[in-house]
Amino acid sequence: MKLDALIIGAGPAGCTAAIYLARAGYSTLLLGSTPPGGQLLHTNEIENFPGFPEPLSGAELMMQMHKQCAGLKVPLSAEKAASVDLSANPFKTTASDGTVYESRTLIVATGATARWLNIESENRLRNKGVSACATCDGFFYRGKTVCVIGGGDSALGDAMFLSRFAASVKLIHRRDKLRACAALTAKAQSNPKISFVWDSTVEEILGGETVSGLRLKNVKTGQVSDLACNGVFLAIGHDPASELFDGKLDLDKEGYISVHDHTHTSVPGVFACGDVADPRYKQAVCAAGSGCMAALDARDYLNRL
Ligand code: NAP
């Protein structure tokens, strides 16, 4: 299939790029994954996306964006990109079902994925009480005690969400200062179900068939103690989904795609937008904005070809 633009990733960045390119009359295809929508699919409540004064879930927001793309006749494939060949234009992208897409421009909007502690007990108890998605699994902890690991906006957002179901939520943070914004911090600190365990790292997740607790180490005193809980939710940040482009595009030391002049990558005709190229802001609205910029940069490139 020959296209003006192939967009890899169907989150806010990819969808916005698709909307702009389709409205400009360019043949465009969105390659998502199953289900398409990226990290927002795991976001419980969004209150800061302009135009939506009432809180809505990330899944609802993504549904609206996909509907807008469908209205503009942008095909959305639920296949992942398996490999890319950027050595010549048109670029060739092979999807996981074997379909090869040729495109004059490529927009990378693959986002980022949740980070794990990578300790043995976490791997063993994953999906048996260990999760990186409070939205997906919080429901199962009605009346239970759960721990959230991390001190950023995700951790506090997850703790707030979990407090709707759980009897008690303990937030474990490796420092004594939160990274999260002041508004979320104030909300979480005034929630009677949420308590904080400071200066502590997870030595081990305890449990046989399911999680029964955490072994924590106080990084200031060195003291090791056990904390009983039924579930553990990781919220310790994300890694950019850029493996496909390793060795093909310039990446920074953390694996984010390096961009210059806003969305241009090291290969002319390939543009990057959203969290895969954003180690700093990581907001849905920023992703959408950078998707627009990538589309306009791709349009200028196509006009020059
Ligand atoms: P983040 O801001 O990078 O925070 C990650 C947290 O996990 C930090 O507190 C960090 O500790 C801790 N951490 C990292 N690695 C760890 C490890 N190995 N063990 C223990 N703790 C570890 O990630 P995020 O909270 O996912 O947020 C990412 C971006 O999305 C941010 O810009 C955030 O503002 C944004 N976001 C916004 C919203 C919203 O607007 N509603 C919601 C969610 C996320 P340190 O603090 O010590 O580094």
Side-chain angles (χ1 to χ4, degrees), residues 48 151-154 173-175 179 236-238 281-283:
N48 56 8
D153 285 335
S154 299
H173 186 34
R174 62 184 178 182
R175 294 189 292 141
R179 185 179 288 275
I236 59 171
H238 292 83
Y281 298 107
K282 298 172 186 164
Q283 299 296 302

Side-chain angles (χ1 to χ4, degrees), residues 50-75:
F52 294 89
E54 299 302 326
L56 79 168
S57 73
E60 283 169 324
L61 182 59
M62 283 323 305
M63 229 152 49
Q64 297 287 346
M65 291 192 200
H66 291 157
K67 197 172 161 188
Q68 198 170 352
C69 291
L72 291 163
K73 309 263 182 288
V74 179

Side-chain angles (χ1 to χ4, degrees), residues 110-184:
T110 44
T113 52
R115 212 174 268 162
W116 297 86
L117 293 170
N118 292 321
I119 53 177
E120 185 278 328
S121 50
E122 174 192 63
N123 295 336
R124 185 167 50 79
L125 291 164
R126 207 180 278 191
N127 300 323
K128 296 175 185 164
V130 177
S131 167
C133 183
T135 315
C136 319
D137 303 326
F139 181 78
F140 302 115
Y141 295 88
R142 193 172 290 277
K144 310 264 184 190
T145 296
V146 294
C147 289
V148 176
I149 319 296
D153 285 335
S154 299
L156 269 73
D158 285 357
M160 295 290 297
F161 176 70
L162 289 164
S163 72
R164 294 188 198 179
F165 310 98
S168 165
V169 181
K170 296 178 193 310
L171 189 125
I172 319 293
H173 186 34
R174 62 184 178 182
R175 294 189 292 141
D176 61 1
K177 280 189 189 60
L178 293 170
R179 185 179 288 275
C181 69
L184 258 179

Side-chain angles (χ1 to χ4, degrees), residues 48-252:
N48 56 8
F49 202 91
F52 294 89
E54 299 302 326
L56 79 168
S57 73
E60 283 169 324
L61 182 59
M62 283 323 305
M63 229 152 49
Q64 297 287 346
M65 291 192 200
H66 291 157
K67 197 172 161 188
Q68 198 170 352
C69 291
L72 291 163
K73 309 263 182 288
V74 179
L76 167 58
S77 163
E79 297 294 329
K80 278 190 161 184
S83 65
V84 287
D85 178 355
L86 308 181
S87 59
N89 198 319
F91 307 117
K92 289 190 182 64
T93 302
T94 306
S96 44
D97 66 353
T99 308
V100 178
Y101 298 96
E102 288 190 6
S103 64
R104 299 198 295 154
T105 61
L106 182 70
I107 295 184
V108 184
T110 44
T113 52
R115 212 174 268 162
W116 297 86
L117 293 170
N118 292 321
I119 53 177
E120 185 278 328
S121 50
E122 174 192 63
N123 295 336
R124 185 167 50 79
L125 291 164
R126 207 180 278 191
N127 300 323
K128 296 175 185 164
V130 177
S131 167
C133 183
T135 315
C136 319
D137 303 326
F139 181 78
F140 302 115
Y141 295 88
R142 193 172 290 277
K144 310 264 184 190
T145 296
V146 294
C147 289
V148 176
I149 319 296
D153 285 335
S154 299
L156 269 73
D158 285 357
M160 295 290 297
F161 176 70
L162 289 164
S163 72
R164 294 188 198 179
F165 310 98
S168 165
V169 181
K170 296 178 193 310
L171 189 125
I172 319 293
H173 186 34
R174 62 184 178 182
R175 294 189 292 141
D176 61 1
K177 280 189 189 60
L178 293 170
R179 185 179 288 275
C181 69
L184 258 179
T185 300
K187 266 191 181 179
Q189 284 179 334
S190 64
N191 185 318
K193 284 191 180 176
I194 301 176
S195 57
F196 295 80
V197 180
W198 303 108
D199 299 314
S200 297
T201 53
V202 177
E203 291 279 283
E204 192 183 337
I205 301 175
L206 307 171
E209 284 303 300
T210 57
V211 167
S212 61
L214 285 179
R215 182 152 297 153
L216 299 175
K217 182 176 181 183
N218 184 301
V219 293
K220 284 187 176 160
T221 64
Q223 193 182 344
V224 175
S225 59
D226 290 354
L227 179 68
C229 66
N230 310 103
V232 179
F233 290 87
L234 277 301
I236 59 171
H238 292 83
D239 292 314
S242 59
E243 318 78 52
L244 208 55
F245 303 96
D246 197 7
K248 294 176 179 168
L249 295 176
D250 286 354
L251 308 180
D252 73 9

Side-chain angles (χ1 to χ4, degrees), residues 243-264:
E243 318 78 52
L244 208 55
F245 303 96
D246 197 7
K248 294 176 179 168
L249 295 176
D250 286 354
L251 308 180
D252 73 9
K253 61 180 184 340
E254 290 187 48
Y256 289 89
I257 295 178
S258 300
V259 286
H260 62 94
D261 201 8
H262 300 298
T263 71
H264 293 251

